[in-house]
Coordinates of all heavy atoms in Angstrom, one line a residue:
M1 N 373.5 164.6 22.0 CA 372.2 164.7 21.5 C 371.5 166.0 22.0 O 371.7 166.3 23.1 CB 371.4 163.5 21.9 CG 370.0 163.6 21.4 SD 368.8 162.3 21.9 CE 369.7 160.9 22.2
I2 N 370.8 166.6 21.1 CA 370.1 167.9 21.5 C 368.8 167.5 22.1 O 368.1 166.6 21.5 CB 370.0 168.8 20.3 CG1 369.5 170.2 20.8 CG2 369.1 168.2 19.2 CD1 369.7 171.3 19.8
T3 N 368.4 168.1 23.1 CA 367.1 167.8 23.8 C 366.0 168.8 23.5 O 366.3 169.8 22.9 CB 367.3 167.8 25.4 OG1 367.6 169.1 25.8 CG2 368.5 166.9 25.8
L4 N 364.8 168.4 23.8 CA 363.7 169.3 23.7 C 364.0 170.6 24.4 O 363.7 171.7 23.9 CB 362.4 168.7 24.2 CG 361.2 169.6 24.2 CD1 360.9 170.1 22.8 CD2 360.0 168.9 24.8
E5 N 364.5 170.5 25.6 CA 364.8 171.7 26.4 C 365.8 172.6 25.7 O 365.7 173.8 25.7 CB 365.3 171.4 27.8 CG 364.3 170.7 28.7 CD 364.0 169.3 28.4 OE1 364.8 168.6 27.7 OE2 362.9 168.8 28.8
D6 N 366.8 172.0 25.0 CA 367.8 172.7 24.2 C 367.1 173.5 23.1 O 367.4 174.6 22.9 CB 368.9 171.8 23.7 CG 369.7 171.2 24.7 OD1 369.9 171.7 25.8 OD2 370.2 170.0 24.4
C7 N 366.2 172.8 22.4 CA 365.5 173.4 21.3 C 364.7 174.6 21.7 O 364.7 175.6 21.0 CB 364.7 172.3 20.5 SG 365.7 171.1 19.7
I8 N 364.0 174.4 22.8 CA 363.2 175.5 23.3 C 364.0 176.7 23.7 O 363.7 177.8 23.4 CB 362.3 175.0 24.5 CG1 361.2 174.0 24.0 CG2 361.7 176.2 25.3 CD1 360.4 173.3 25.1
A9 N 365.2 176.4 24.4 CA 366.1 177.5 24.8 C 366.6 178.2 23.6 O 366.8 179.4 23.7 CB 367.2 176.9 25.6
L10 N 366.8 177.6 22.5 CA 367.3 178.2 21.3 C 366.3 178.9 20.4 O 366.7 179.7 19.5 CB 368.1 177.1 20.5 CG 369.4 176.6 21.1 CD1 369.9 175.4 20.3 CD2 370.4 177.6 21.3
C11 N 365.0 178.6 20.6 CA 364.1 179.0 19.6 C 363.6 180.5 19.8 O 363.0 181.1 18.9 CB 362.9 178.1 19.5 SG 361.7 178.3 20.9
G12 N 363.8 181.0 21.0 CA 363.4 182.4 21.3 C 362.0 182.5 22.0 O 361.6 183.6 22.2
L13 N 361.4 181.4 22.3 CA 360.2 181.5 23.1 C 360.3 180.7 24.3 O 361.2 179.8 24.5 CB 359.0 180.9 22.2 CG 358.6 181.7 21.0 CD1 357.4 181.0 20.3 CD2 358.3 183.1 21.3
S14 N 359.3 180.9 25.2 CA 359.3 180.1 26.5 C 358.7 178.7 26.2 O 358.1 178.5 25.1 CB 358.4 180.8 27.5 OG 357.1 180.7 27.2
E15 N 358.8 177.8 27.1 CA 358.2 176.5 27.0 C 356.7 176.6 26.8 O 356.1 175.9 26.0 CB 358.6 175.6 28.2 CG 358.0 174.2 28.1 CD 358.4 173.3 29.2 OE1 359.0 173.8 30.2 OE2 358.0 172.1 29.2
A16 N 356.1 177.4 27.6 CA 354.6 177.6 27.5 C 354.2 178.1 26.1 O 353.2 177.6 25.6 CB 354.1 178.5 28.6
E17 N 355.0 179.0 25.6 CA 354.6 179.5 24.2 C 354.8 178.4 23.2 O 354.0 178.3 22.3 CB 355.5 180.7 23.9 CG 355.2 181.9 24.9 CD 356.3 182.9 25.0 OE1 357.5 182.6 24.5 OE2 356.1 184.0 25.5
V18 N 355.9 177.6 23.3 CA 356.1 176.5 22.4 C 355.0 175.5 22.5 O 354.5 175.0 21.5 CB 357.5 175.9 22.6 CG1 357.7 174.6 21.8 CG2 358.6 176.9 22.2
L19 N 354.6 175.2 23.7 CA 353.5 174.2 23.9 C 352.2 174.7 23.3 O 351.4 173.9 22.8 CB 353.3 173.9 25.4 CG 354.5 173.2 26.1 CD1 354.3 173.0 27.5 CD2 354.7 171.8 25.4
A20 N 352.0 176.0 23.4 CA 350.8 176.6 22.7 C 350.8 176.4 21.2 O 349.8 176.1 20.6 CB 350.6 178.0 23.1
I21 N 352.0 176.6 20.6 CA 352.1 176.4 19.2 C 351.9 174.9 18.8 O 351.2 174.6 17.9 CB 353.5 176.9 18.7 CG1 353.6 178.4 18.8 CG2 353.8 176.4 17.2 CD1 354.9 179.0 18.5
A22 N 352.5 174.0 19.6 CA 352.3 172.6 19.4 C 350.8 172.2 19.5 O 350.4 171.4 18.6 CB 353.1 171.8 20.5
E23 N 350.1 172.7 20.5 CA 348.7 172.5 20.6 C 347.9 173.0 19.4 O 347.1 172.3 18.8 CB 348.2 173.2 21.9 CG 346.7 173.0 22.1 CD 346.3 173.8 23.4 OE1 347.1 174.0 24.3 OE2 345.1 174.1 23.4
H24 N 348.2 174.2 19.0 CA 347.5 174.8 17.9 C 347.8 174.1 16.6 O 346.8 173.9 15.8 CB 348.0 176.3 17.7 CG 347.1 177.0 16.7 ND1 347.4 177.1 15.4 CD2 346.0 177.8 16.9 CE1 346.5 177.8 14.8 NE2 345.7 178.2 15.7
E25 N 349.0 173.7 16.3 CA 349.4 173.1 15.1 C 349.3 171.5 15.1 O 349.5 170.9 14.0 CB 350.8 173.5 14.7 CG 350.9 175.0 14.4 CD 350.0 175.5 13.3 OE1 350.2 175.0 12.1 OE2 349.1 176.3 13.5
H26 N 349.0 171.0 16.2 CA 348.9 169.5 16.4 C 350.2 168.8 15.9 O 350.2 167.9 15.2 CB 347.7 169.0 15.6 CG 346.4 169.6 16.0 ND1 345.7 169.4 17.1 CD2 345.7 170.6 15.3 CE1 344.6 170.2 17.2 NE2 344.6 170.9 16.0
V27 N 351.3 169.4 16.5 CA 352.6 168.8 16.1 C 353.4 168.5 17.4 O 353.0 169.1 18.5 CB 353.4 169.8 15.2 CG1 352.7 170.0 13.9 CG2 353.7 171.1 15.9
P28 N 354.4 167.7 17.4 CA 355.2 167.5 18.6 C 355.9 168.8 19.0 O 356.1 169.7 18.2 CB 356.2 166.4 18.1 CG 355.6 165.8 16.9 CD 354.8 166.9 16.3
E29 N 356.2 168.8 20.3 CA 356.9 170.0 20.8 C 358.2 170.4 20.1 O 358.4 171.6 19.9 CB 357.2 169.8 22.3 CG 355.9 169.8 23.2 CD 355.3 168.4 23.3 OE1 355.8 167.5 22.7 OE2 354.3 168.3 24.1
I30 N 359.0 169.4 19.7 CA 360.2 169.7 19.0 C 359.9 170.4 17.7 O 360.6 171.3 17.3 CB 361.1 168.4 18.8 CG1 362.5 168.8 18.5 CG2 360.5 167.5 17.8 CD1 363.4 168.8 19.7
A31 N 358.9 170.0 17.0 CA 358.5 170.6 15.7 C 358.0 172.0 16.0 O 358.3 173.0 15.2 CB 357.5 169.8 15.0
A32 N 357.3 172.2 17.1 CA 356.8 173.5 17.4 C 357.9 174.5 17.8 O 357.9 175.7 17.4 CB 355.8 173.4 18.6
A33 N 359.0 174.0 18.4 CA 360.1 174.8 18.7 C 360.8 175.3 17.4 O 361.2 176.4 17.3 CB 361.1 174.1 19.6
A34 N 360.9 174.4 16.4 CA 361.5 174.7 15.1 C 360.6 175.7 14.4 O 361.1 176.7 13.8 CB 361.7 173.5 14.3
L35 N 359.3 175.5 14.5 CA 358.4 176.5 13.8 C 358.5 177.8 14.5 O 358.5 178.9 13.8 CB 356.9 175.9 13.9 CG 355.8 176.8 13.3 CD1 356.1 177.2 11.9 CD2 354.5 176.1 13.5
A36 N 358.5 177.8 15.8 CA 358.7 179.1 16.5 C 359.9 179.9 16.1 O 359.8 181.1 15.8 CB 358.7 178.9 18.1
E37 N 361.0 179.2 16.0 CA 362.3 179.8 15.6 C 362.1 180.4 14.2 O 362.5 181.5 13.9 CB 363.4 178.8 15.7 CG 364.8 179.4 15.6 CD 365.4 179.4 14.2 OE1 364.9 178.6 13.4 OE2 366.2 180.2 14.0
H38 N 361.5 179.6 13.3 CA 361.3 180.1 11.9 C 360.3 181.3 11.9 O 360.6 182.3 11.3 CB 360.7 179.0 11.1 CG 360.2 179.4 9.8 ND1 361.0 179.7 8.7 CD2 358.9 179.6 9.3 CE1 360.3 180.0 7.7 NE2 359.0 180.0 8.0
L39 N 359.2 181.2 12.7 CA 358.3 182.4 12.7 C 358.8 183.6 13.2 O 358.5 184.7 12.7 CB 357.0 182.0 13.5 CG 356.1 181.0 12.8 CD1 355.0 180.5 13.7 CD2 355.5 181.6 11.5
L40 N 359.7 183.5 14.2 CA 360.3 184.7 14.8 C 361.2 185.5 13.8 O 361.5 186.6 14.0 CB 361.0 184.4 16.1 CG 360.1 184.1 17.3 CD1 361.0 183.6 18.5 CD2 359.3 185.3 17.7
K41 N 361.6 184.8 12.8 CA 362.5 185.4 11.7 C 361.7 186.0 10.6 O 362.2 186.7 9.7 CB 363.5 184.4 11.2 CG 364.5 184.0 12.2 CD 365.5 183.0 11.6 CE 366.5 182.6 12.7 NZ 367.4 181.5 12.1
Q42 N 360.4 185.7 10.6 CA 359.5 186.2 9.5 C 358.9 187.6 9.8 O 358.8 187.9 11.0 CB 358.3 185.2 9.3 CG 358.8 183.8 8.9 CD 359.7 183.7 7.7 OE1 359.3 184.2 6.7 NE2 360.9 183.2 7.9
R43 N 358.6 188.3 8.8 CA 358.1 189.7 8.9 C 356.9 189.7 9.8 O 356.8 190.6 10.7 CB 357.8 190.2 7.5 CG 357.4 191.7 7.6 CD 357.4 192.3 6.2 NE 356.9 193.6 6.2 CZ 355.6 193.9 5.9 NH1 354.8 193.0 5.5 NH2 355.3 195.2 6.0
R44 N 355.9 188.9 9.6 CA 354.7 188.9 10.4 C 354.6 187.7 11.3 O 353.5 187.3 11.7 CB 353.5 189.0 9.5 CG 353.5 190.1 8.5 CD 353.2 191.4 9.1 NE 351.8 191.4 9.6 CZ 351.3 192.5 10.2 NH1 351.9 193.6 10.2 NH2 350.1 192.4 10.7
G45 N 355.7 187.0 11.6 CA 355.7 185.8 12.4 C 355.2 186.0 13.8 O 354.5 185.1 14.3
T46 N 355.5 187.1 14.4 CA 355.0 187.3 15.8 C 353.4 187.5 15.8 O 352.8 187.0 16.7 CB 355.6 188.5 16.5 OG1 355.5 189.7 15.6 CG2 357.1 188.3 16.8
D47 N 352.9 188.0 14.7 CA 351.4 188.1 14.6 C 350.8 186.7 14.5 O 349.8 186.4 15.1 CB 351.0 188.9 13.3 CG 351.4 190.4 13.4 OD1 351.6 190.9 14.5 OD2 351.6 191.0 12.3
T48 N 351.5 185.8 13.8 CA 351.0 184.4 13.7 C 351.1 183.7 15.0 O 350.1 183.1 15.4 CB 351.9 183.7 12.7 OG1 351.8 184.3 11.4 CG2 351.4 182.2 12.5
I49 N 352.2 183.9 15.8 CA 352.3 183.3 17.1 C 351.2 183.9 18.0 O 350.5 183.1 18.7 CB 353.7 183.5 17.7 CG1 354.7 182.7 16.8 CG2 353.7 183.0 19.1 CD1 356.2 183.1 17.1
H50 N 351.0 185.2 18.0 CA 350.0 185.8 18.8 C 348.6 185.2 18.5 O 347.9 184.8 19.4 CB 350.0 187.3 18.5 CG 349.0 188.1 19.3 ND1 347.8 188.4 18.7 CD2 349.0 188.6 20.5 CE1 347.0 189.1 19.5 NE2 347.7 189.3 20.6
R51 N 348.3 185.1 17.2 CA 347.0 184.5 16.8 C 346.8 183.1 17.3 O 345.8 182.7 17.8 CB 346.9 184.6 15.3 CG 345.6 184.1 14.8 CD 345.5 184.1 13.2 NE 346.7 183.5 12.6 CZ 346.9 182.2 12.5 NH1 346.1 181.3 13.0 NH2 348.0 181.8 11.8
M52 N 347.9 182.3 17.2 CA 347.8 180.9 17.6 C 347.5 180.8 19.1 O 346.6 180.0 19.5 CB 349.2 180.2 17.4 CG 349.5 179.9 15.9 SD 351.1 179.1 15.9 CE 351.3 178.9 14.1
I53 N 348.1 181.6 19.9 CA 347.9 181.5 21.4 C 346.5 182.0 21.7 O 345.8 181.3 22.5 CB 349.0 182.3 22.1 CG1 350.4 181.8 21.9 CG2 348.6 182.3 23.6 CD1 351.5 182.6 22.4
V54 N 346.0 183.0 21.0 CA 344.7 183.5 21.3 C 343.6 182.5 20.8 O 342.7 182.2 21.6 CB 344.4 184.9 20.5 CG1 343.0 185.3 20.6 CG2 345.3 186.0 21.2
E55 N 343.9 181.8 19.7 CA 342.9 180.8 19.2 C 342.9 179.6 20.2 O 341.8 179.1 20.5 CB 343.3 180.4 17.8 CG 342.9 181.4 16.8 CD 343.3 181.1 15.4 OE1 343.9 180.0 15.2 OE2 343.1 181.9 14.5
D56 N 344.1 179.2 20.7 CA 344.1 178.2 21.7 C 343.3 178.6 23.0 O 342.6 177.7 23.5 CB 345.6 177.9 22.1 CG 346.3 177.1 21.1 OD1 345.7 176.6 20.1 OD2 347.6 177.0 21.2
M57 N 343.5 179.8 23.4 CA 342.7 180.3 24.6 C 341.2 180.2 24.3 O 340.5 179.7 25.2 CB 343.1 181.7 24.9 CG 344.3 181.9 25.8 SD 344.6 183.6 26.3 CE 343.6 184.7 25.5
R58 N 340.8 180.7 23.2 CA 339.4 180.6 22.9 C 338.8 179.2 22.9 O 337.7 178.9 23.4 CB 339.1 181.3 21.5 CG 339.2 182.8 21.6 CD 338.9 183.5 20.3 NE 339.0 184.9 20.4 CZ 339.5 185.7 19.5 NH1 339.9 185.2 18.3 NH2 339.6 187.0 19.7
A59 N 339.6 178.3 22.3 CA 339.2 176.9 22.2 C 339.1 176.3 23.6 O 338.1 175.6 23.9 CB 340.2 176.1 21.4
A60 N 340.0 176.7 24.5 CA 340.0 176.2 25.9 C 338.7 176.7 26.6 O 338.1 176.0 27.3 CB 341.3 176.6 26.6
L61 N 338.4 178.0 26.4 CA 337.2 178.6 27.0 C 336.0 177.9 26.5 O 335.0 177.7 27.2 CB 337.2 180.1 26.8 CG 338.3 180.9 27.6 CD1 338.3 182.3 27.2 CD2 338.0 180.7 29.1
Q62 N 335.9 177.7 25.2 CA 334.7 177.1 24.6 C 334.5 175.7 25.1 O 333.3 175.3 25.2 CB 334.9 177.0 23.1 CG 334.7 178.4 22.4 CD 334.9 178.4 20.9 OE1 335.4 177.4 20.4 NE2 334.5 179.4 20.3
R63 N 335.5 174.9 25.5 CA 335.3 173.6 26.0 C 335.2 173.6 27.6 O 335.2 172.6 28.2 CB 336.3 172.6 25.5 CG 337.7 172.8 25.9 CD 338.7 171.7 25.4 NE 340.0 172.0 25.8 CZ 340.9 172.7 25.2 NH1 340.6 173.2 24.0 NH2 342.1 172.9 25.7
G64 N 335.2 174.8 28.1 CA 335.1 175.0 29.6 C 336.3 174.7 30.4 O 336.3 174.6 31.6
D65 N 337.5 174.8 29.7 CA 338.8 174.5 30.4 C 339.4 175.8 30.8 O 340.3 176.3 30.2 CB 339.7 173.7 29.5 CG 340.9 173.1 30.2 OD1 341.2 173.6 31.4 OD2 341.6 172.3 29.6
R66 N 338.9 176.4 31.9 CA 339.3 177.7 32.4 C 340.8 177.6 32.9 O 341.5 178.6 32.7 CB 338.4 178.2 33.5 CG 337.1 178.6 33.0 CD 336.2 179.1 34.1 NE 335.0 179.6 33.6 CZ 334.7 180.9 33.5 NH1 335.6 181.8 33.9 NH2 333.6 181.3 33.0
K67 N 341.2 176.5 33.5 CA 342.6 176.4 34.0 C 343.6 176.5 32.8 O 344.5 177.2 32.9 CB 342.7 175.1 34.7 CG 344.1 174.9 35.3 CD 344.2 173.6 36.0 CE 345.6 173.4 36.7 NZ 346.7 173.1 35.8
H68 N 343.3 175.8 31.7 CA 344.2 175.8 30.6 C 344.1 177.2 29.9 O 345.2 177.7 29.5 CB 343.8 174.7 29.6 CG 344.8 174.6 28.5 ND1 346.2 174.4 28.7 CD2 344.6 174.6 27.1 CE1 346.8 174.4 27.5 NE2 345.9 174.5 26.6
A69 N 343.0 177.8 29.8 CA 342.8 179.1 29.2 C 343.7 180.1 30.0 O 344.3 181.0 29.5 CB 341.4 179.5 29.2
S70 N 343.7 180.0 31.4 CA 344.5 180.8 32.2 C 346.0 180.6 32.0 O 346.8 181.6 31.9 CB 344.1 180.6 33.7 OG 344.9 181.3 34.5
E71 N 346.4 179.4 31.8 CA 347.8 179.1 31.5 C 348.2 179.7 30.1 O 349.3 180.3 30.0 CB 348.0 177.6 31.4 CG 347.8 176.9 32.8 CD 347.7 175.4 32.7 OE1 347.5 174.8 31.6 OE2 347.8 174.8 33.8
L72 N 347.3 179.6 29.2 CA 347.6 180.2 27.9 C 347.6 181.7 27.9 O 348.4 182.4 27.2 CB 346.5 179.7 26.8 CG 346.6 178.3 26.4 CD1 345.4 177.8 25.8 CD2 347.8 178.1 25.5
F73 N 346.7 182.3 28.8 CA 346.8 183.7 28.9 C 348.1 184.2 29.5 O 348.7 185.2 29.1 CB 345.6 184.2 29.8 CG 345.5 185.7 30.0 CD1 345.2 186.5 29.0 CD2 345.8 186.3 31.2 CE1 345.1 187.9 29.1 CE2 345.8 187.6 31.4 CZ 345.4 188.4 30.4
A74 N 348.6 183.4 30.5 CA 349.9 183.7 31.1 C 351.0 183.7 30.0 O 351.9 184.5 29.9 CB 350.2 182.8 32.2
A75 N 350.9 182.6 29.1 CA 351.9 182.5 28.0 C 351.8 183.7 27.1 O 352.8 184.2 26.6 CB 351.6 181.2 27.3
L76 N 350.5 184.1 26.8 CA 350.3 185.3 25.9 C 350.9 186.5 26.5 O 351.6 187.3 25.8 CB 348.9 185.5 25.6 CG 348.5 186.6 24.7 CD1 349.1 186.5 23.3 CD2 347.0 186.8 24.6
R77 N 350.7 186.8 27.8 CA 351.2 187.9 28.5 C 352.8 187.9 28.4 O 353.4 189.0 28.1 CB 350.8 188.0 29.9 CG 349.3 188.4 30.1 CD 348.9 188.5 31.5 NE 349.9 189.3 32.2 CZ 349.6 190.3 33.0 NH1 348.4 190.5 33.3 NH2 350.5 191.0 33.6
H78 N 353.4 186.8 28.6 CA 354.8 186.6 28.6 C 355.3 186.9 27.1 O 356.3 187.7 26.9 CB 355.3 185.3 29.0 CG 356.7 185.1 29.0 ND1 357.4 184.6 27.9 CD2 357.7 185.4 29.9 CE1 358.7 184.6 28.1 NE2 358.9 185.1 29.3
F79 N 354.6 186.4 26.2 CA 355.0 186.6 24.8 C 354.9 188.1 24.4 O 355.9 188.6 23.8 CB 354.0 185.8 23.8 CG 354.4 186.0 22.4 CD1 355.5 185.5 21.8 CD2 353.5 186.8 21.6 CE1 355.8 185.7 20.5 CE2 353.8 187.0 20.3 CZ 354.9 186.5 19.7
L80 N 353.9 188.8 24.8 CA 353.8 190.2 24.5 C 354.8 191.0 25.3 O 355.3 192.0 24.7 CB 352.4 190.7 24.9 CG 351.2 190.1 24.1 CD1 349.9 190.6 24.6 CD2 351.3 190.5 22.6
A81 N 355.1 190.6 26.5 CA 356.2 191.3 27.3 C 357.6 191.1 26.7 O 358.4 192.0 26.8 CB 356.1 190.9 28.7
T82 N 357.8 190.0 26.1 CA 359.2 189.7 25.7 C 359.4 190.0 24.2 O 360.5 189.9 23.7 CB 359.6 188.2 25.9 OG1 358.6 187.3 25.3 CG2 359.6 187.9 27.4
H83 N 358.3 190.3 23.5 CA 358.4 190.7 22.1 C 357.7 192.0 21.8 O 356.9 192.1 20.8 CB 357.9 189.6 21.2 CG 358.7 188.3 21.3 ND1 358.5 187.4 22.3 CD2 359.8 187.9 20.6 CE1 359.4 186.4 22.2 NE2 360.2 186.7 21.2
P84 N 357.9 193.1 22.6 CA 357.1 194.3 22.4 C 357.5 195.0 21.1 O 356.6 195.8 20.6 CB 357.5 195.1 23.6 CG 358.9 194.6 24.0 CD 358.9 193.2 23.7
E85 N 358.7 194.8 20.6 CA 359.1 195.5 19.4 C 358.2 195.2 18.2 O 358.2 195.9 17.2 CB 360.5 195.2 19.1 CG 360.9 193.8 18.7 CD 361.0 192.8 19.8 OE1 360.8 193.2 21.0 OE2 361.3 191.7 19.5
H86 N 357.5 194.1 18.3 CA 356.7 193.6 17.1 C 355.3 194.1 17.2 O 354.5 193.8 16.3 CB 356.7 192.1 17.1 CG 358.1 191.6 16.9 ND1 358.8 191.6 15.7 CD2 359.0 191.0 17.7 CE1 360.0 191.1 15.8 NE2 360.1 190.7 17.0
F87 N 354.9 194.8 18.3 CA 353.5 195.2 18.5 C 353.4 196.7 18.7 O 353.0 197.2 19.8 CB 352.9 194.5 19.7 CG 352.9 193.0 19.4 CD1 353.9 192.2 20.0 CD2 352.0 192.4 18.6 CE1 353.9 190.8 19.8 CE2 352.0 191.1 18.4 CZ 352.9 190.3 19.0
H88 N 353.8 197.5 17.7 CA 353.6 199.0 17.9 C 352.4 199.4 17.2 O 352.0 199.0 16.2 CB 354.8 199.9 17.5 CG 356.0 199.3 17.1 ND1 356.4 199.0 15.8 CD2 357.1 198.8 17.8 CE1 357.6 198.5 15.7 NE2 358.0 198.3 16.9

């Protein structure tokens, strides 16, 4: 049986990035991993992932959850560092 960890490892994003997609889209983590893998193959998919994480950060800040916003910021930094080819 394939596990959530297996799916995350295969999708091309970190666990924190997948969790941000799951939060944004209100879907289970396994579905978010599949969506991540799909988006990374799309022409503007990295822009979509970037936008999702930023929107999650803004929502966390608006509700006063600085700790979660900080976690999302770390996920965004990792995303930008590991996918620089998509942001020229």
